Amino acid sequence: MGLASVSSGKILFEGDDITKLPPYKRSRKGLVYVAQTDNVFKTLTVEENFKLSSYDLSEDEYKERIEIVFTLFSQIKDILKRKVYQLSGGQRQMVAVSLALLRKPKILLLDEPTAQLAPKVANEIFKKIIEIRDLTEVGIVLVEQNAKKALEIADNAYLFTSGRVLFKGKPSELLSNPELGRIFLGLGV
Amino acid sequence: MIDPLIINTIVYSSILGLSSLSLTLTYLTTKVPNFAQGVFLLLGSYVTFTVAEALKQNPYLSLPVAFLLGGAVALIQYYGVLLPLSTRGGSLVTQMVATLAFSILLYGGLNAYASYLDYVYNVQSRDVTLGFLDYNLGGGIRAVFLVSAVLAAAFILSLYLFLNKTRLGVSVRATVENPSLAESMGINTKLVKTISWFLSGGMASAAGSLYPLQFVFSPTLAYSILLSVFAGSVLGGLMSLFGGFIGGFIEGFIEKYVVTELSIYLSPVIGVSPFVINQYSTLVPLIVVAAVLLIAPNGIMGMRVKR
């Protein structure tokens, strides 16, 4: 996303080299990132968060995008006026994903969206990720510690270790590869 | 007839309030405590001195000049010193020390300029006040009394409107709260920082441009007032702009008003002249900082904000 420094290699987005682009320009291109922690403006209300995230959108675009958010997360309508620091972990995560969706992503980068959440809430988030894919047709890059769950919903799987791609292919192949599964994903013994 | 002590206090507190506000602004957006803040005030003072004493113009013409010049010098500091350091991975401590180095450079430059004025215009450019060049409004009141209060109010009002009613202002608030999230949301945080440095330098110099019209000033002002500016910011909690102003104002009020009144009461008790006691007003910033850090580490604004 441009927040960390790149030691080697380059990043292409829609054919353009964006390796040296500052994060805000990447975001304006449609590459939208949801960080693992600190992914919402805590001292502001949910609505103020939305206004900030969509501050370069027109009024009409905002209305159109907010409808998508309400369709996906119907509970958000009830907490619009609440300050984010008063919300539960699951609600915050929904707000964080909504912020990203408001930005009209072409690619949505989700960094461990279920970290620090109770298993029940985590399952809820996984369901929502599938709904987002089907409803908005946005490409989603998901980095996840709950590897098994993530592989079950993914279309493609990549296994990175020490900055190198160790595996690239169908999630089912990775799930059924006993060695990689044991070492990296904690599957079976 | 207003008590001269009250006039002194209001002028000083307004100047200090604006300076603490400026210090807090760049602290919030870039997390760097700017040790050059005092020299920015001094810069403003020398703009006034140049305009009023050397060029014999209306002293208030220096206000916009000081604002623009202070803003420009702050940008030089940001782009020439702090940004190169931070992109090379310099820590906040490194950047903080760099502001001290920049302040020494600027301080030396202003001292040289003061000597230049001495020789070329044949005027005394150190340990002087320009009060005699100010407009007399009658009743012992001079224009600087009104101008300082109005300037403080105008800056605060425009800053409030800017931060709450404009897109750019809202993006400043977002950057203050969470810079990397703000970047991810498409906000140009470098632009936000540029604006905050310009405004900070500009406001401090504009405030400093009023100082010579009420008080005796000398280049040493840069460092003697720096402590008070920091004390004001700490008192304001370092996390709220308006807290910074209020903190600076209270700090100024204690230094000028409370200490003077106290010295009058204490003088007969301990048998020392009130003027001698007044010299100890420079202790006030230290006492304020120590007390705030011990009793309410988040300053006056932190007391009511419960999370």
Side-chain angles (χ1 to χ4, degrees):
Chain A
M1 197 57 204
L3 295 164
S5 54
V6 179
S7 53
S8 67
K10 60 180 178 179
I11 307 162
L12 297 179
F13 180 63
E14 295 180 327
D16 300 328
D17 186 351
I18 59 163
T19 318
K20 291 210 168 103
L21 225 50
Y24 79 94
K25 282 194 181 155
R26 301 182 193 211
S27 177
R28 289 181 187 178
K29 272 179 174 288
L31 193 64
V32 178
Y33 168 62
V34 180
Q36 183 178 349
T37 51
D38 287 330
N39 49 21
V40 277
F41 296 107
K42 288 196 199 76
T43 59
L44 305 180
T45 66
V46 174
E47 198 170 22
E48 284 171 326
N49 266 277
F50 287 175
K51 288 273 158 63
L52 266 177
S53 146
S54 56
Y55 94 124
D56 50 353
L57 297 185
S58 72
E59 196 70 15
D60 290 341
E61 277 177 308
Y62 176 72
K63 281 190 185 131
E64 184 194 317
R65 305 297 300 177
I66 198 85
E67 275 316 308
I68 297 175
V69 169
F70 287 154
T71 319
L72 281 164
F73 305 109
S74 51
Q75 312 97 301
I76 282 200
K77 268 185 188 163
D78 308 326
I79 55 170
L80 274 179
K81 302 284 176 204
R82 300 263 299 274
K83 296 267 189 192
V84 170
Y85 64 81
Q86 302 170 324
L87 304 180
S88 72
Q91 285 172 321
R92 279 188 203 189
Q93 207 55 270
M94 285 179 202
V95 173
V97 175
S98 308
L99 285 180
L101 289 175
L102 282 170
R103 293 206 48 78
K104 272 192 166 180
K106 288 176 186 154
I107 293 182
L108 185 59
L109 307 171
L110 298 177
D111 187 0
E112 305 214 358
T114 68
Q116 301 160 1
L117 294 181
K120 197 177 156 204
V121 187
N123 283 337
E124 196 67 24
I125 297 281
F126 278 122
K127 271 189 213 146
K128 289 296 172 192
I129 293 173
I130 303 173
E131 278 180 46
I132 292 169
R133 181 192 62 189
D134 296 343
L135 189 71
T136 63
E137 295 183 330
V138 58
I140 300 176
V141 177
L142 174 65
V143 175
E144 186 48 62
Q145 29 91 38
N146 192 342
K148 190 159 175 278
K149 218 46 201 173
L151 287 170
E152 280 167 13
I153 65 167
D155 301 318
N156 294 296
Y158 299 84
L159 181 66
F160 281 85
T161 179
S162 311
R164 289 180 192 288
V165 181
L166 207 70
F167 172 88
K168 180 168 134 183
K170 288 284 152 203
S172 53
E173 293 168 28
L174 186 56
L175 276 170
S176 58
N177 185 323
E179 199 180 345
L180 290 179
R182 187 173 58 81
I183 299 173
F184 293 104
L185 309 177
L187 306 174
V189 183
Chain B
M1 187 76 191
I2 303 179
D3 183 353
L5 177 59
I6 294 190
I7 296 180
N8 259 346
T9 306
I10 298 281
V11 175
Y12 184 70
S13 301
S14 303
I15 292 174
L16 211 52
L18 283 177
S19 310
S20 296
L21 167 74
S22 316
L23 180 70
T24 310
L25 177 61
T26 42
Y27 178 75
L28 281 175
T29 51
T30 47
K31 304 281 174 265
V32 182
N34 183 15
F35 281 101
Q37 203 71 20
V39 193
F40 281 105
L41 268 124
L42 185 66
L43 178 69
S45 299
Y46 271 107
V47 171
T48 304
F49 188 85
T50 310
V51 168
E53 178 78 335
L55 303 175
K56 310 287 179 209
Q57 300 294 313
N58 181 336
Y60 293 103
L61 279 178
S62 77
L63 260 179
V65 181
F67 180 76
L68 294 175
L69 190 65
V73 175
L75 288 187
I76 294 174
Q77 185 182 17
Y78 179 56
Y79 276 95
V81 181
L82 299 177
L83 201 58
L85 277 175
S86 75
T87 46
R88 285 174 176 81
S91 70
L92 288 178
V93 176
T94 313
Q95 294 183 53
M96 184 179 82
V97 175
T99 68
L100 193 57
F102 185 81
S103 87
I104 294 169
L105 195 74
L106 197 57
Y107 178 71
L110 284 173
N111 254 312
Y113 179 66
S115 302
Y116 166 81
L117 290 175
D118 275 349
Y119 290 111
V120 174
Y121 291 93
N122 203 17
V123 287
Q124 189 195 340
S125 62
R126 291 181 176 87
D127 295 311
V128 279
T129 174
L130 301 178
F132 66 95
L133 291 172
D134 197 9
Y135 299 98
N136 214 323
L137 303 179
I141 301 174
R142 281 182 292 105
V144 67
F145 174 60
L146 288 181
V147 173
S148 62
V150 170
L151 186 76
F155 268 133
I156 287 174
L157 186 67
S158 7
L159 208 55
Y160 177 81
L161 292 176
F162 170 66
L163 290 175
N164 290 287
K165 304 287 174 202
T166 68
R167 272 184 180 186
L168 199 57
V170 171
S171 65
V172 173
R173 286 164 61 208
T175 307
V176 166
E177 154 124 23
N178 188 335
S180 55
L181 179 58
E183 275 278 336
S184 304
M185 293 293 146
I187 291 167
N188 184 349
T189 55
K190 196 169 148 191
L191 177 68
V192 166
K193 288 171 185 173
T194 305
I195 290 168
S196 75
W197 276 97
F198 180 82
L199 285 178
S200 172
M203 282 194 293
S205 290
S209 77
L210 298 179
Y211 193 90
L213 295 172
Q214 181 72 18
F215 305 103
V216 175
F217 87 109
S218 214
T220 47
L221 165 76
Y223 294 104
S224 57
I225 207 165
L226 184 64
L227 274 178
S228 308
V229 175
F230 267 87
S233 283
V234 172
L235 185 58
L238 283 170
M239 58 174 195
S240 147
L241 288 178
F242 303 106
F245 179 80
I246 295 167
F249 199 89
I250 294 175
E251 165 70 29
F253 178 79
I254 300 174
E255 265 180 64
K256 288 284 172 208
Y257 191 84
V258 177
V259 171
T260 307
E261 287 290 321
L262 202 65
S263 65
I264 292 168
Y265 288 111
L266 275 179
S267 172
V269 182
I270 56 175
V272 177
S273 149
F275 297 106
V276 174
I277 299 177
N278 229 331
Q279 297 297 310
Y280 285 87
S281 71
T282 43
L283 268 179
V284 171
L286 297 174
I287 296 171
V288 165
V289 169
V292 169
L293 293 179
L294 279 174
I295 300 163
N298 291 327
I300 42 173
M301 296 310 266
M303 287 177 183
R304 58 180 182 82
V305 183
K306 291 272 186 286
R307 297 234 173 115

